[in-house]
Amino acid sequence: MERVHDPVIFQHAIDGIDMKNNIIATYYMSDRLPGVDFIDHFKLIESIAIEGSTGSWQRVEEESTEVREMLSGKLVGYYEIPTEDEYRKSAVIQLAFPINAWHDNVPMMLLSIAGNCFAYSQRIRLLDVVFPENMVKNFRGPKFGVEGTRELLGIPERPLSLHIIKPKMGMTPKQTGDQVYQTAIGGADMAKDDEMTSDTYNNNFRDRLKYVMDAIDRAEKRTGKRMIYFCSITDEVSKLHEKAREAVEIGANGLLITYSVGLSAIREVTSDPDINIPVMVHNSHMIASMDTISWPVFTKLIRLCGADQTLTPTYWSSIPMVSLEEGIRCQHVAQAPFYGFKKMWSMPAAGTYPGLTPILMSEYGKDIIIPSGGGMLGHPDGYTAGAQAWQQAIASVMEDVPIDEYRRTRR
């Protein structure tokens, strides 16, 4: 007699799975059928596991038991969430997907853990991913990370301030360089193009890079401090890698790539030994998937694929998108032990201003980059004063002196 729920899919526990060769995906799922007091969650889960691996809605002859044993997704954890709603069934589930199906092929991996599953449950969200050793060994992780970037800048322990160049687009290369010079002499540690910056009628990355690096050279002669500039090179995948190489040849000391190019494209750039400068990944494209994929999952994927830093949400931003805990958790997974990879910078972002520094440092610690556009450039005394205000705010927390007192006594 055929069982209702296939034992090949269900008869597993997480402590019996080969953790070196299976990726473990954790999901929250919640479904409601008004007027129906029974929901077969296991049948729904079986559909999700099979759709992410071997089958479709209708089993066919060639999908043998052997094929399912070798390649199908398998339920390894089911934790029902109690509810007083008799028509709702909610649970946290864990599925194991064998890497035999795709090894270290990132696009195929994403199809398994974050593909058709979203079509089955009314409310499903990928909460976490555990990567197996035999997959991760084919990745390199960040080249610089926290430790390497600190060495480049000569800043051993405090948070770093970053100037987001504004407006998003429309400035000439000279205007861009002039803006960066003003924040560089004010002490900003880094600058980056806005994620929307690309090659336009009055600006291209080659000219912009030359003007900005010249501004950094001039500022260094004046201050003795050298800023890192993350030059935006986001482009079609066919152009991205060559663009990164060209930027390095011109003299870039940092690159900015947006998540919209895809994880494989990011991995290709970060894995190139000749691109030996820090790479930042911007997250804006990820916002579209917030309801279905948690931000810490994105953070972990970006670290796996080699970024040195990535923007992350914070509850205190001008566009709060996730809970306080989910925002902070991004920093945890960015810097947690992970197969020997270097720690990745998290960057609590969007609408930050110097007065937030004590809160951000209390939640995230010292190993953060705090990016600021209007919160630096909008200072009433100008761009240089705005950069100085950030340095003062960071120093005040490091020295455990209230910001207002620090501003009055240490100008």
Side-chain angles (χ1 to χ4, degrees):
M1 182 179 67
E2 184 177 351
R3 292 177 62 173
V4 176
H5 307 114
D6 186 351
V8 174
I9 306 299
F10 288 94
Q11 207 155 299
H12 304 278
I14 197 165
D15 45 5
I17 284 289
D18 179 2
M19 297 296 286
K20 289 187 176 182
N21 291 295
N22 281 271
I23 191 168
I24 307 298
T26 302
Y27 304 86
Y28 166 77
M29 55 188 296
S30 183
D31 298 276
R32 189 175 192 275
L33 293 177
V36 178
D37 59 5
F38 175 76
I39 298 175
D40 189 345
H41 238 189
F42 280 175
K43 264 306 180 189
L44 188 59
I45 291 166
E46 183 172 336
S47 297
I48 291 170
I50 293 301
E51 277 288 341
S53 53
T54 57
S56 69
W57 68 275
Q58 178 63 51
R59 190 168 184 174
V60 298
E61 180 180 344
E62 290 81 3
E63 189 187 355
S64 64
T65 297
E66 178 186 358
V67 167
R68 282 197 170 185
E69 287 174 345
M70 291 295 295
L71 298 174
S72 72
K74 299 169 181 67
L75 180 70
V76 295
Y78 181 85
Y79 314 99
E80 189 168 345
I81 300 171
T83 175
E84 295 182 0
D85 184 346
E86 62 180 319
Y87 303 127
R88 180 174 297 281
K89 185 70 69 75
S90 301
V92 171
I93 70 167
Q94 292 181 302
L95 296 177
F97 293 97
I99 63 171
N100 288 336
W102 28 258
H103 304 288
D104 66 337
N105 184 330
V106 173
M108 292 302 298
M109 174 194 71
L110 291 175
L111 289 179
S112 284
I113 65 172
N116 285 356
C117 63
F118 299 125
Y120 280 84
S121 176
Q122 295 171 351
R123 177 76 174 94
I124 183 168
R125 192 169 194 239
L126 177 60
L127 302 178
D128 192 22
V129 179
V130 177
F131 299 104
E133 180 181 340
N134 286 338
M135 174 189 163
V136 175
K137 68 183 181 182
N138 297 312
F139 292 78
R140 301 180 183 180
K143 274 198 186 85
F144 293 87
V146 172
E147 303 90 337
T149 306
R150 288 197 179 284
E151 289 179 10
L152 290 176
L153 290 169
I155 301 172
E157 61 173 355
R158 64 168 174 80
L160 306 179
S161 66
L162 181 142
H163 158 208
I164 305 174
I165 298 165
K166 298 289 184 178
K168 287 175 174 283
M169 58 179 77
M171 287 194 295
T172 66
K174 183 179 185 303
Q175 288 175 316
T176 307
D178 289 345
Q179 188 179 107
V180 169
Y181 177 78
Q182 292 180 67
T183 61
I185 62 174
D189 303 305
M190 299 172 160
K192 80 169 190 72
D193 288 326
D194 190 90
E195 75 276 10
M196 296 299 299
T197 302
S198 61
D199 294 352
T200 58
Y201 76 98
N202 65 344
N203 197 337
N204 65 74
F205 86 96
R206 299 174 187 86
D207 293 339
R208 186 171 69 252
L209 185 53
K210 291 173 183 176
Y211 272 96
V212 171
M213 295 313 295
D214 176 70
I216 289 173
D217 289 340
R218 289 186 286 116
E220 183 181 17
K221 290 178 182 177
R222 179 168 170 178
T223 66
K225 174 181 174 179
R226 187 164 186 80
M227 171 189 274
I228 294 177
Y229 162 58
F230 293 93
C231 179
S232 174
I233 60 165
T234 298
D235 210 322
E236 296 290 335
V237 174
S238 59
K239 301 176 183 178
L240 182 69
H241 196 171
E242 187 54 41
K243 205 169 181 179
R245 284 176 167 268
E246 186 177 352
V248 171
E249 291 173 2
I250 294 171
N253 63 355
L255 298 175
L256 171 67
I257 305 174
T258 63
Y259 186 83
S260 57
V261 303
L263 288 166
S264 288
I266 293 167
R267 181 186 179 192
E268 183 176 356
V269 170
T270 61
S271 298
D272 186 339
D274 293 329
I275 301 175
N276 197 30
I277 56 177
V279 175
M280 178 188 298
V281 171
H282 195 283
N283 59 16
S284 60
H285 184 64
M286 292 154 43
I287 296 172
S289 300
M290 277 195 318
D291 288 343
T292 52
I293 302 177
S294 79
W295 215 279
V297 169
F298 282 123
T299 303
K300 194 179 289 189
L301 287 165
I302 290 169
R303 185 182 181 191
L304 179 73
C305 290
D308 297 289
Q309 50 260 326
T310 186
L311 284 83
T312 50
T314 173
Y315 181 79
W316 307 106
S317 80
S318 58
I319 45 173
M321 297 175 291
V322 300
S323 67
L324 176 72
E325 292 80 7
E326 185 167 329
I328 297 173
R329 186 62 183 159
C330 292
Q331 192 270 347
H332 296 165
V333 301
Q335 298 180 9
F338 184 42
Y339 292 103
F341 286 171
K342 292 177 180 175
K343 297 177 181 178
M344 182 177 70
W345 293 95
S346 65
M347 303 171 61
T352 59
Y353 55 93
L356 281 177
T357 305
I359 297 173
L360 295 176
M361 288 181 63
S362 69
E363 293 178 351
Y364 294 85
K366 295 181 289 187
D367 288 334
I368 55 170
I369 298 170
I370 309 177
S372 183
M376 181 179 293
L377 302 176
H379 195 287
D381 294 331
Y383 300 164
T384 299
Q388 290 171 337
W390 273 104
Q391 295 305 109
Q392 290 170 351
I394 291 170
S396 73
V397 179
M398 292 295 292
E399 296 179 25
D400 198 24
V401 176
I403 290 179
D404 287 343
E405 180 182 337
Y406 191 96
R407 179 178 56 83
R408 290 194 307 271
T409 61
R410 292 169 171 80
R411 293 185 68 86

